[in-house]
Amino acid sequence: MFRSIHILTGATLYERPPQSPAEFQTALSALRQRQRHFAAQPVTARTALLSAFAQRLDAERGRLARMVSEEVGRCLTECRAELDKSVELIRYYTRLAPELLAHKTIATQASLSQVRFEPLGVVLAVMPWNYPVWQVLRFAVPALCTGNACAVKPAPSVARISNALFELVGGDIPLIPAWLEHADIPQAIADTDALAFTGSADIGRILAAEAGGRLKKTVLELGGSNAFIVLPDADLRQAAKDACYSRFRDAGQSCNAAKRIIVTEAVAEPFIRLFLDECAKLQTGDPLDAQTTLASLHRADLRERVHAQVLDAAENGAQILCGGEIPAGQGWFYPATVLDKVNPACRAYREEVFGPVAAILRARDAEHAVELANDNPYGLGASIYSADEAAAWRYAEKLHTGAVYINRHTSSDLRLPFGGVKASGYGRELSEFGLYEFVNIKTYWQK
């Protein structure tokens, strides 16, 4: 069952049954026909349809942001930012796609040789709950620009906002929901032409195996445990402020957040004091309240997992500097929690902690900080704070991640590729590189 509930009251906001496999096949057949018509249009015609969709989304962003806040649990200000960025994403690609997808003529001994970018067909996407608008559009908009159609399986717990988003899409754009049971996803992979997945590494491995067995193209964004490295010459006050924002925004439920704060021993004590001061400023409460800066987690089981990771860390030598207790009351709140001296015996050292918990690891020096950063299954992003930017760039080259930010917390930018290595997945979204993921890069040669 696809069911959205109010994060505080538990009231049902929306529910609907899943599609049967036969119903999905009917929808998929119709989508394939629409895809062929859509792909036959010039890219400027496709981008015009997407531009009109951006206007509709822009007009409804306040209503949709409130929906996200109520059923995901994130602060309303954060949800508004998600909608703003989603609108800008569409406008970014509609501006650039005609140029980036133009046929490229290459000089050879042929009278005419070209490279063209042609769609793969129907791309299936299996999407998470934490950014129910942004995650869908981040994958779908570039795929649509290239002439693909998209069938999106939303997370069951964000059905209302997902339904509202697809109602805004309209009938001219081949982007539809796939209200599928988890058990029906393997067959859906077999029946479509490519797969995009955002979620856990465990599920990503399963779906990648399903797609790989059928030689279907995949792009996987599987989360992360980003290192936030603080070197001795860093601006400690700014680093502490940025680390707090990055770790606790969206209640810590972001793949690209700073999760492991690696601080050199020389400045560990002053940095931790500043960091705890910033954490103390966070306000827990109703996510619709403008004063709230630390909202609820999304579900009870997610909070239980986070708390179990905290207790495990304490049992294995880490120190709880603040937080670490489940509060009473409605909602799935968890306090801002800081663990010091996290070590390899702790689950939080190697696992992704998807909630408001910061793990502090102490490094002997900069080289050791890089070693600790790389000693993790994930490789999405990292930050390095240092006054010596040249040295920071040298250390950045040693980090096994998809992105490194110097003197800034990790984030995503429409103009830059987003994705990771190792257990954080493969493939890229955003920028021109994201535009080319779901295309057949096809060579033409004329004698």
Side-chain angles (χ1 to χ4, degrees):
M1 179 64 71
F2 288 82
R3 181 170 178 259
S4 297
I5 64 170
H6 193 287
I7 202 69
L8 295 184
T9 68
T12 297
L13 299 172
Y14 176 92
E15 64 181 355
R16 59 156 295 142
Q19 288 173 303
S20 69
E23 289 171 329
F24 176 69
Q25 286 298 325
T26 299
L28 181 59
S29 178
L31 183 63
R32 284 200 178 279
Q33 292 182 4
R34 292 172 59 192
Q35 186 271 328
R36 287 190 286 269
H37 174 73
F38 187 68
Q41 298 181 60
V43 63
T44 51
R46 298 196 293 267
T47 57
L49 293 172
L50 287 166
S51 292
F53 170 49
Q55 291 181 329
R56 297 193 296 273
L57 187 64
D58 192 18
E60 296 292 332
R61 59 184 173 172
R63 178 175 67 91
L64 297 183
R66 187 179 181 91
M67 284 185 176
V68 175
S69 183
E70 289 175 345
E71 61 193 279
V72 173
R74 289 169 33 229
C75 294
L76 182 58
T77 53
E78 296 166 343
C79 300
R80 286 172 176 157
E82 176 184 353
L83 267 295
D84 290 346
K85 193 172 183 179
S86 297
V87 171
E88 181 52 33
L89 169 78
I90 304 171
R91 291 173 173 163
Y92 168 81
Y93 274 116
T94 57
R95 289 194 302 268
L96 291 186
E99 176 185 352
L100 294 176
L101 295 175
H103 305 332
K104 298 188 184 302
T105 299
I106 310 295
T108 69
Q109 69 270 32
S111 63
L112 176 64
S113 49
Q114 285 188 335
V115 174
R116 297 187 180 186
F117 305 100
E118 299 180 359
L120 297 180
V122 176
V123 184
L124 176 70
V126 179
M127 292 285 103
W129 51 264
N130 55 337
Y131 299 99
V133 176
W134 167 251
Q135 299 279 20
V136 170
L137 297 182
R138 188 177 74 183
F139 129 79
V141 171
L144 290 163
C145 284
T146 63
N148 291 294
C150 303
V152 178
K153 182 204 173 294
S157 58
V158 289
R160 182 183 63 154
I161 181 61
S162 300
N163 185 68
L165 175 63
F166 287 109
E167 285 180 344
L168 281 176
V169 169
D172 294 328
I173 300 172
L175 170 61
I176 67 168
W179 303 105
L180 292 170
E181 296 270 25
H182 294 319
D184 295 327
I185 294 175
Q187 187 59 50
I189 292 173
D191 294 335
T192 51
D193 303 301
L195 171 70
F197 173 71
T198 298
S200 72
D202 289 341
I203 300 301
R205 291 184 180 97
I206 294 170
L207 298 186
E210 292 284 350
R214 296 172 172 86
L215 299 180
K216 303 294 178 75
K217 173 67 186 288
T218 54
V219 171
L220 305 181
E221 200 275 275
L222 305 180
S225 189
N226 290 3
F228 187 101
I229 298 173
V230 183
L231 299 183
D233 58 352
D235 181 336
L236 298 185
R237 190 172 299 279
Q238 186 63 52
K241 183 177 180 180
D242 288 359
C244 181
Y245 171 78
S246 181
R247 171 66 284 205
F248 298 111
R249 65 186 173 92
D250 304 317
Q253 299 172 121
S254 170
C255 62
N256 204 28
K259 297 191 174 81
R260 296 175 299 135
I261 300 173
I262 302 174
V263 57
T264 46
E265 284 283 8
V267 291
E269 297 303 330
F271 171 82
I272 290 171
R273 286 195 297 271
L274 291 167
F275 183 58
L276 291 173
D277 288 345
E278 292 296 327
C279 295
K281 299 175 185 178
L282 296 168
Q283 297 292 318
T284 299
D286 185 339
L288 296 175
D289 188 333
Q291 302 303 311
T292 298
T293 52
L294 182 61
S296 169
L297 274 72
H298 182 54
R299 297 193 312 262
D301 62 302
L302 300 173
R303 182 172 69 171
E304 290 168 2
R305 175 179 170 81
V306 167
H307 189 54
Q309 290 170 311
V310 170
L311 295 180
D312 171 83
E315 291 170 0
N316 285 285
Q319 298 177 3
I320 302 176
L321 301 185
C322 66
E325 297 182 356
I326 295 178
Q330 292 180 311
W332 311 117
F333 290 97
Y334 199 79
T337 298
V338 179
L339 302 173
D340 189 17
K341 300 179 181 177
V342 173
N343 59 77
C346 305
R347 288 173 54 192
Y349 182 90
R350 62 186 181 277
E351 295 179 357
E352 179 178 23
V353 182
F354 213 65
V357 177
I360 296 178
L361 287 65
R362 297 187 181 221
R364 295 185 301 273
D365 52 28
E367 291 288 349
H368 188 218
V370 171
E371 291 177 17
L372 290 173
N374 286 334
D375 188 23
N376 191 269
Y378 294 96
L380 185 57
S383 296
I384 300 176
Y385 279 71
S386 171
D388 187 342
E389 293 179 351
W393 276 82
R394 291 195 299 272
Y395 294 126
E397 292 175 345
K398 299 179 180 181
L399 292 171
H400 305 154
T401 60
V404 181
Y405 284 70
I406 295 172
N407 292 323
R408 192 184 189 280
H409 59 82
T410 48
S411 60
S412 64
D413 188 304
L414 304 176
R415 299 160 293 185
L416 296 172
F418 180 78
V421 296
K422 302 193 293 186
S424 290
Y426 51 77
R428 292 295 180 266
E429 296 178 312
L430 304 180
S431 79
E432 64 185 278
F433 299 98
L435 188 69
Y436 298 136
E437 283 288 0
F438 291 114
V439 295
N440 175 17
I441 303 175
K442 188 173 177 181
T443 295
Y444 287 82
W445 196 98
Q446 175 181 302
K447 184 175 180 181

